[in-house]
Amino acid sequence: MKISIGCDHIVTEIKNEMVKYLKGKGHEVFDEGTFDNERTHYPIYGRKVGLRVSSKEADFGIVICGTGVGISNAASKIPGIRLSLVRDVLTAKTAREKLDANVLGLGGRITGAGLMQNITDEFLAAQYEKTEENEKLIERINNLKKENEEIKKEEFLNFWDQSISKYLKRWNELKNKFKIGEMI
Ligand code: RB5
């Protein structure tokens, strides 16, 4: 499989170990960095992994930071990414089977190295169950962004309508008060 992996500076060594582990299992790995311990920001690497997966250059992604929380949130903002932050093997299996998750989030300072390897193995081995129910749920998740954008558009239009009617009301008041129509 082709796997994209990224991390922040807190867990570089842990990511490097995971790269070695994955290559040892025969996977092709895109190591997106970071590559040292210099302070950096996890959204950079979460984004890189997310894009590599959403463009289908990689089959799956793995993101690691101290807790896994920051980089998972970042990667999940990339359209097409379904990410699960996982701390146990059953969750890894469920994320693949039910959600068709394509990126695995790990907390390198929370979960031990052996467990992270087991979780990764399970995540990569489990198969998505393409049932009608799962498909519908995934579609609903995918539509959330669009629905939210529609709501925002509507709120903006309402706000605009209200502003215009307030402005017109005030204009009419002033027009009547100062008999503006009669002056022109
Ligand atoms: C360090 O930036 C730390 O906040 C990060 O590794 C992670 O734990 C955040 O969720």
Side-chain angles (χ1 to χ4, degrees):
M1 278 177 192
K2 290 182 181 171
I3 297 163
S4 166
I5 185 165
C7 69
D8 73 358
H9 58 290
I10 300 280
V11 290
T12 308
E13 288 73 19
I14 293 168
K15 181 265 293 170
N16 291 344
E17 277 303 309
M18 186 60 91
V19 169
K20 224 190 280 173
Y21 180 73
L22 291 166
K23 284 186 175 167
K25 292 244 162 186
H27 297 295
E28 192 181 318
V29 180
F30 293 98
D31 186 349
E32 319 286 2
T34 188
F35 299 103
D36 55 31
N37 300 110
E38 195 177 319
R39 198 190 188 322
T40 182
H41 303 285
Y42 47 74
I44 301 169
Y45 305 95
R47 178 174 180 272
K48 284 187 180 195
V49 172
L51 289 176
R52 187 84 73 181
V53 174
S54 67
S55 67
K56 308 251 186 279
E57 285 173 81
D59 302 303
F60 293 105
I62 299 175
V63 290
I64 316 174
C65 68
T67 59
V69 171
I71 201 162
S72 292
N73 267 282
S76 66
K77 293 285 180 273
I78 304 295
I81 295 307
R82 290 176 302 281
L83 186 147
S84 289
L85 173 57
V86 173
R87 309 237 193 269
D88 66 277
V89 173
L90 180 59
T91 306
K93 184 170 147 62
T94 308
R96 282 291 306 123
E97 288 180 350
K98 309 288 178 207
L99 179 71
D100 197 15
N102 49 15
V103 179
L104 169 66
L106 295 169
R109 290 277 180 95
I110 307 288
T111 309
L115 181 52
M116 280 203 289
Q117 290 173 356
N118 290 348
I119 287 170
T120 304
D121 288 344
E122 188 65 49
F123 187 84
L124 298 177
Q127 296 293 319
Y128 170 52
E129 294 166 356
K130 197 171 177 172
T131 62
E132 206 182 317
E133 195 192 349
N134 289 341
E135 286 287 284
K136 270 192 193 151
L137 285 169
I138 291 171
E139 200 189 331
R140 284 185 73 172
I141 294 171
N142 290 341
N143 284 342
L144 285 177
K145 190 166 178 273
K146 229 189 300 161
E147 282 169 22
N148 198 35
E149 276 163 7
E150 289 297 321
I151 291 170
K152 274 202 193 136
K153 206 160 54 179
E154 203 144 302
E155 276 172 1
F156 174 74
L157 289 176
N158 283 343
F159 165 77
W160 189 242
D161 278 355
Q162 279 165 18
S163 307
I164 293 244
S165 25
K166 251 193 242 161
Y167 172 78
L168 281 177
K169 196 172 155 230
R170 184 72 184 133
W171 168 246
N172 282 328
E173 281 167 8
L174 291 172
K175 212 167 74 173
N176 292 334
K177 187 169 175 191
F178 296 108
K179 312 238 175 294
I180 291 176
E182 291 167 20
M183 282 158 60
I184 27 179

